[in-house]
Amino acid sequence: MKPINDGHVAEPGLAVVEVAAADDETAFAVQRLLATRWAIAPADRTTHEPGEPGVRLRCYLDMRQAARPVGEEGDPG
């Protein structure tokens, strides 16, 4: 994975979340769970490092912003 950029953690409440999971389905389920609580910049794919078990996923989390409930204006759900 690429190094974490200073801008991704420049202020309190910003975080980079790396998920290690057995498979894509599990990694994306964790990402969806985070998105129910906070604003995230979601990953659209996982990565697999040769010789390492499972897959990894990195998303960017903004704990300063609560996630919008489904059906709220501007929400595609």
Side-chain angles (χ1 to χ4, degrees):
M1 292 190 140
K2 294 180 181 179
I4 296 170
N5 180 309
D6 289 342
H8 294 136
V9 293
E11 299 178 30
L14 298 178
V16 178
V17 178
E18 292 186 348
V19 176
D23 56 29
D24 288 357
E25 183 178 327
T26 303
F28 286 116
V30 171
Q31 179 174 261
R32 284 191 303 275
L33 181 64
L34 291 170
T36 65
R37 177 126 188 207
W38 297 292
I40 69 167
D44 57 358
R45 64 182 178 86
T46 61
T47 60
H48 172 74
E49 295 294 328
E52 291 187 17
V55 297
R56 296 190 186 277
L57 174 143
R58 180 185 287 174
C59 60
Y60 302 92
L61 179 71
D62 187 345
M63 296 172 59
R64 303 168 302 177
Q65 299 180 44
R68 289 185 296 209
V70 172
E72 188 171 302
E73 187 176 324
D75 186 26

